[in-house]
Amino acid sequence: MLPRGRPRALGAAALLLLLLLLGFLLFGGDLGCERRKRGGRAGAPGCFPGPLMPRVPPDGRLRRAAALDGDPGAGPGDHNRSDCGPPPPRPSKCELLHVAIVCAGHNSSRDVITLVKSMLFYRKNPLHLHLVTDAVARNILEMLFHTWMVPAVRVSFYNADELKSQVSWIPNKHYSGLYGLMKLVLPSALPTELAHVIVLDTDVTFASDISELWALFAHFSDTQAIGLVENQSDWYLGNLWKNHRPWPALGRGFNTGVILLRLDRLRQAGWEQMWRLTARRELLTLPATSLADQDIFNAVIKEHPGLVQPLPCVWNVQLSDHTLAERCYSAASDLKVIHWNSPKKLQVKNKHVEFFRNFYLTFLEYDGNLLRRELFGCPSQPPPGAEQLQQALAQLNEEDPCFEFRQQQLTVHRVHVTFLPHEPPPPRPHDVTLVAQLSMDRLQMLEALCRHWPGPMSLALYLTDAEAQQFLRFIEASPVLAARQDVAYHVVYREGPLYPVNQLRNVALAQALTPYVFLSDIDFLPAYSLYDYLRASIEQLGLGSQRKAALVVPAFETLHYRFSFPHSKVELLALLDVGALYTFRYHEWPRGHAPTDYARWREAQAPYRVQWAADYEPYVVVPRDCPRYDPRFVGFGWNKVAHIVELDAQEYELLVLPEAFTIHLPHAPSLDISRFRSSPTYRDCLQALKDEFHQDLSRHHGAAALKYLPALQQPQSPARD
């Protein structure tokens, strides 16, 4: 939902102040541009920060490198230096800035989000993101940006698979693989009408307004087309180890984590032919690229130095293994972009790494909802659905006792599907995905669930940005969970006071990839044999095109935190007979599962049909294209009941499976159930939602919906868990 009120804006301002204070504490003192003969004092207002400057001995013993534009007198590092003068004028307030990023896979998609958060935090201009992605990253990022609904941000996607053939002939030893070469083809891949673009690696973090970087296009001469920061290591000098032979470069060369591209000039200069000829020639004597596109960019620049405009070092502070970046940030008034360009990323060895790591973690865990900020005075097309959402919110009455229910129903949550690497299951005609939802306080259920259910799972998690990182560490620390590539985790970011249980279920359901789904809850453990049994039952009963049915999995519960889980129906019945197990909610809400007819199930040898009854809420197996859950039911109460009503209204048979079972484990009550039990207003609001649900049911199903009216009018017991 779009943010409302002042507290969030204050939080963002406080964060900005904290970041500035951290920078001052670490780099304060004599930071700033070096003193110039013109008499300007170091760090003076308007001083344009200088770049990485190699220390040149007074006697000039260091050999001078070839300079840009053929100036043989330029010293080492001079080609990557800006005079300490006034900064270039920023783009106009509403000028659209274009940013291109290559992104592939699950992990890279998470990195992009942190990068984008840092851009959005500081930005004052509309942005157009051009994302070159594989199918995995597009599926993730398309959903994320659609649900993020950030004003004045456009996103365009380009199919990386269509570009692979243009770079696949280049042997590359860099961990980025083929995708690390794709920046070379951006001039031809991006729209021909696009003349300027900032190109970023996914592992950079902004510490300043990106419009300041865009403003550096004004420094380009008439022939310059590529803006780069000098490489902040001795890699291209070839002296890091014995027999190290890098690609050719001017001096230390340039790093391509941050690039300004004049696409129009590159196209006019024949860029595609230029880099291809250079790469083919160098590959005659070099086995492969070591640093992907960066090697080829540097080789081209060595041959055509007039193409490059050196940028101040603060726009790409490189934290690599052999970094010399301290020369930059110890002499700069402020930093602009931090670049984690080591394969070790946040674990890189650097004496100031804790500062940089904390800066990165600030954005990693920052609440992305706070970045849905309007750019006042800049008219732009609103995100899809934003206008309708604002109109619906404006119609709400804040004096309504059920206001928070109404508001929560309208909330559009950010959704990050397949948050972790995931391997889709191979196509099988009767396969079943377990679908469930959970919050942070149920993470401990995951390992046991993975042991009980060997098949694919689709799980929606309701988390804050910070909790999402805790969840990531939780998975990485568990050998059981880390080994399961067939479990898809989808993060729905927390917003609002009530738990959006049915919205979470719908996210998990929509992402299931098998023909059938087992609609469960996270605090249930299925029988060890249930996965195989369900697939066999689906085939035997001819579900799908031959039969429209929901298979009921009988639910039981234990009141003990530790008990011996039954391996068969016979063992379960023995536990039931001695009181170690009960039918689910037998003591508090027997109506929820009584229609399953447990007495009949004890003796059943074949599936049997049961009739819908009021408040029936069994756990069922249905086709993936089944009706979705009704999202109006938030918090506690009637969320599963309404779904079973809809299945019955659409004439699904309810078939109880004789050998299937699932067992509920005990846990502390949720906040929503506590509110349901203690608040008459909460229960009144739930009744209002039930009445509205029946009105919609009547519109869709006509007179057939009358059978459900008595059930909707029955009060719900506050004792129910």
Side-chain angles (χ1 to χ4, degrees), residues 166-173 181 184 245-248 275-292 295-296 299:
Q166 300 183 48
V167 294
S168 59
W169 56 274
I170 304 171
N172 179 27
K173 295 188 292 185
L181 297 162
L184 293 165
R245 188 185 170 205
W247 279 56
W275 74 259
R276 285 176 177 272
L277 288 174
T278 300
R280 290 187 188 280
R281 184 182 65 245
E282 297 302 328
L283 286 170
L284 294 175
T285 57
L286 290 164
T289 59
S290 296
L291 301 180
D295 285 340
I296 298 175

Side-chain angles (χ1 to χ4, degrees), residues 279-337:
R280 290 187 188 280
R281 184 182 65 245
E282 297 302 328
L283 286 170
L284 294 175
T285 57
L286 290 164
T289 59
S290 296
L291 301 180
D293 67 89
Q294 183 169 301
D295 285 340
I296 298 175
F297 268 102
N298 274 290
V300 172
I301 289 169
K302 177 70 180 270
E303 190 172 353
H304 305 278
L307 284 175
V308 72
Q309 163 63 40
L311 304 179
C313 68
V314 291
W315 285 106
N316 187 350
V317 177
Q318 301 149 39
L319 302 179
S320 62
D321 292 313
H322 306 285
T323 183
L324 302 173
E326 187 179 354
R327 297 182 185 179
C328 172
Y329 59 73
S330 64
S333 58
D334 58 356
L335 305 182
K336 305 294 186 180
V337 175

Side-chain angles (χ1 to χ4, degrees), residues 100-344:
I101 304 170
V102 178
C103 174
H106 300 87
N107 297 335
S108 183
S109 298
R110 292 199 309 273
D111 293 338
V112 162
I113 295 164
T114 306
L115 161 59
V116 171
K117 283 183 182 179
S118 69
M119 281 196 294
L120 293 177
F121 183 84
Y122 294 105
R123 65 104 181 214
K124 297 181 178 66
N125 283 70
L127 298 177
H128 187 164
L129 305 181
H130 301 265
L131 304 182
V132 179
T133 62
D134 65 352
V136 168
R138 175 160 187 168
N139 182 57
I140 294 169
L141 296 174
E142 203 163 37
M143 172 69 78
L144 180 85
F145 283 107
H146 176 72
T147 54
W148 202 347
M149 301 181 76
V150 182
V153 172
R154 293 178 55 195
V155 184
S156 297
F157 289 92
Y158 306 83
N159 189 348
D161 290 338
E162 296 178 357
L163 305 176
K164 283 183 178 180
S165 62
Q166 300 183 48
V167 294
S168 59
W169 56 274
I170 304 171
N172 179 27
K173 295 188 292 185
H174 194 259
Y175 60 85
S176 59
L178 278 181
Y179 300 101
L181 297 162
M182 287 191 178
K183 285 183 284 185
L184 293 165
V185 303
L186 288 178
S188 59
L190 296 177
T192 55
E193 63 272 15
L194 185 59
H196 302 70
V197 70
I198 296 172
V199 184
L200 302 171
D201 278 358
T202 60
D203 55 0
V204 304
T205 309
F206 272 79
S208 184
D209 186 355
I210 193 173
S211 69
E212 297 177 38
L213 178 59
W214 187 270
L216 299 184
F217 276 117
H219 279 272
F220 282 39
S221 71
D222 291 342
T223 59
Q224 290 170 336
I226 306 172
L228 292 166
V229 171
E230 184 180 54
N231 197 49
Q232 293 166 3
S233 81
D234 288 342
W235 175 273
Y236 286 108
L237 299 182
N239 58 11
L240 292 182
W241 57 80
K242 187 178 180 180
N243 298 325
H244 171 49
R245 188 185 170 205
W247 279 56
L250 283 176
R252 284 198 171 87
F254 295 90
N255 184 277
T256 56
V258 177
I259 316 176
L260 300 185
L261 289 185
R262 281 295 304 262
L263 297 171
D264 51 349
R265 293 178 182 175
L266 288 174
R267 293 171 186 134
Q268 292 169 6
W271 168 253
E272 184 173 354
Q273 182 180 15
M274 190 184 299
W275 74 259
R276 285 176 177 272
L277 288 174
T278 300
R280 290 187 188 280
R281 184 182 65 245
E282 297 302 328
L283 286 170
L284 294 175
T285 57
L286 290 164
T289 59
S290 296
L291 301 180
D293 67 89
Q294 183 169 301
D295 285 340
I296 298 175
F297 268 102
N298 274 290
V300 172
I301 289 169
K302 177 70 180 270
E303 190 172 353
H304 305 278
L307 284 175
V308 72
Q309 163 63 40
L311 304 179
C313 68
V314 291
W315 285 106
N316 187 350
V317 177
Q318 301 149 39
L319 302 179
S320 62
D321 292 313
H322 306 285
T323 183
L324 302 173
E326 187 179 354
R327 297 182 185 179
C328 172
Y329 59 73
S330 64
S333 58
D334 58 356
L335 305 182
K336 305 294 186 180
V337 175
I338 313 302
H339 185 188
W340 300 89
N341 62 319
S342 164
K344 301 173 185 175

Side-chain angles (χ1 to χ4, degrees), residues 304-589:
H304 305 278
L307 284 175
V308 72
Q309 163 63 40
L311 304 179
C313 68
V314 291
W315 285 106
N316 187 350
V317 177
Q318 301 149 39
L319 302 179
S320 62
D321 292 313
H322 306 285
T323 183
L324 302 173
E326 187 179 354
R327 297 182 185 179
C328 172
Y329 59 73
S330 64
S333 58
D334 58 356
L335 305 182
K336 305 294 186 180
V337 175
I338 313 302
H339 185 188
W340 300 89
N341 62 319
S342 164
K344 301 173 185 175
K345 301 306 176 188
L346 270 64
Q347 280 69 51
V348 69
K349 300 297 183 183
N350 181 293
K351 65 182 178 181
H352 297 132
V353 71
E354 195 64 25
F355 168 80
F356 293 111
R357 187 184 293 126
N358 288 338
F359 184 86
Y360 173 83
L361 293 176
T362 298
F363 290 110
L364 182 71
E365 300 185 354
Y366 187 75
D367 184 353
N369 298 327
L370 304 181
L371 297 169
R372 291 165 164 165
R373 300 191 297 244
E374 294 283 351
L375 294 182
F376 294 110
C378 290
S380 62
Q381 185 174 356
E387 286 183 317
Q388 297 89 329
L389 176 61
Q390 290 288 17
Q391 291 170 5
L393 287 169
Q395 293 174 3
L396 296 181
N397 178 10
E398 295 192 22
E399 302 302 320
D400 182 354
C402 301
F403 172 75
E404 67 177 16
F405 282 83
R406 311 290 184 196
Q407 187 181 47
Q408 190 75 60
Q409 294 166 33
L410 294 173
T411 299
V412 178
H413 295 272
R414 281 180 298 137
V415 177
H416 186 147
V417 297
T418 53
F419 188 76
L420 297 177
H422 172 247
E423 289 294 332
R428 289 184 286 226
H430 308 110
D431 208 359
V432 184
T433 295
L434 187 149
V435 170
Q437 45 73 38
L438 67 152
S439 52
M440 196 70 180
D441 59 349
R442 298 288 190 269
L443 284 186
Q444 71 277 7
M445 292 295 302
L446 291 177
E447 283 196 358
L449 183 58
C450 282
R451 292 188 179 100
H452 279 251
W453 182 269
M457 288 188 269
S458 180
L459 306 176
L461 299 94
Y462 194 49
L463 306 173
T464 65
D465 293 73
E467 287 174 341
Q469 300 310 309
Q470 296 175 42
F471 162 69
L472 178 61
R473 293 190 291 271
F474 179 83
I475 297 294
E476 291 173 342
S478 167
V480 173
L481 300 178
R484 289 293 297 271
Q485 296 291 301
D486 58 350
V487 180
Y489 300 100
H490 316 292
V491 173
V492 178
Y493 288 100
R494 182 184 294 273
E495 185 174 9
L498 297 169
Y499 190 75
V501 56
N502 277 358
Q503 295 182 43
L504 296 173
R505 287 178 172 136
N506 285 340
V507 168
L509 180 54
Q511 296 302 315
L513 301 176
T514 56
Y516 298 92
V517 288
F518 173 33
L519 305 179
S520 184
D521 274 336
I522 198 64
D523 41 13
F524 278 83
L525 289 182
Y528 286 108
S529 60
L530 186 61
Y531 175 59
D532 291 332
Y533 177 62
L534 290 179
R535 291 188 297 160
S537 298
I538 289 168
E539 183 175 13
Q540 291 167 8
L541 293 169
L543 260 62
S545 58
Q546 300 179 40
R547 192 172 190 181
K548 191 176 183 181
L551 305 183
V552 175
V553 176
F556 299 83
E557 69 177 340
T558 177
L559 304 182
H560 304 287
Y561 283 90
R562 291 186 177 182
F563 85 111
S564 179
F565 198 94
H567 286 76
S568 66
K569 180 177 179 178
V570 171
E571 290 185 16
L572 182 140
L573 291 176
L575 292 172
L576 197 64
D577 290 339
V578 299
L581 283 180
Y582 301 92
T583 57
F584 188 51
R585 292 300 177 254
Y586 171 78
H587 299 93
E588 292 142 335
W589 190 250

Side-chain angles (χ1 to χ4, degrees), residues 668-719:
S670 66
L671 176 61
D672 282 302
I673 194 173
S674 299
R675 294 182 63 190
F676 173 85
R677 288 170 170 171
S678 63
S679 171
T681 300
Y682 193 106
R683 297 195 292 274
D684 290 342
C685 292
L686 178 57
Q687 184 60 49
L689 297 181
K690 291 163 64 176
D691 294 340
E692 294 168 9
F693 170 75
H694 186 262
Q695 292 171 12
D696 289 341
L697 203 66
S698 299
R699 278 193 288 269
H700 293 146
H701 300 287
L706 292 174
K707 68 180 278 191
Y708 308 109
L709 186 57
L712 287 128
Q713 293 174 340
Q714 292 175 357
Q716 193 148 340
S717 168

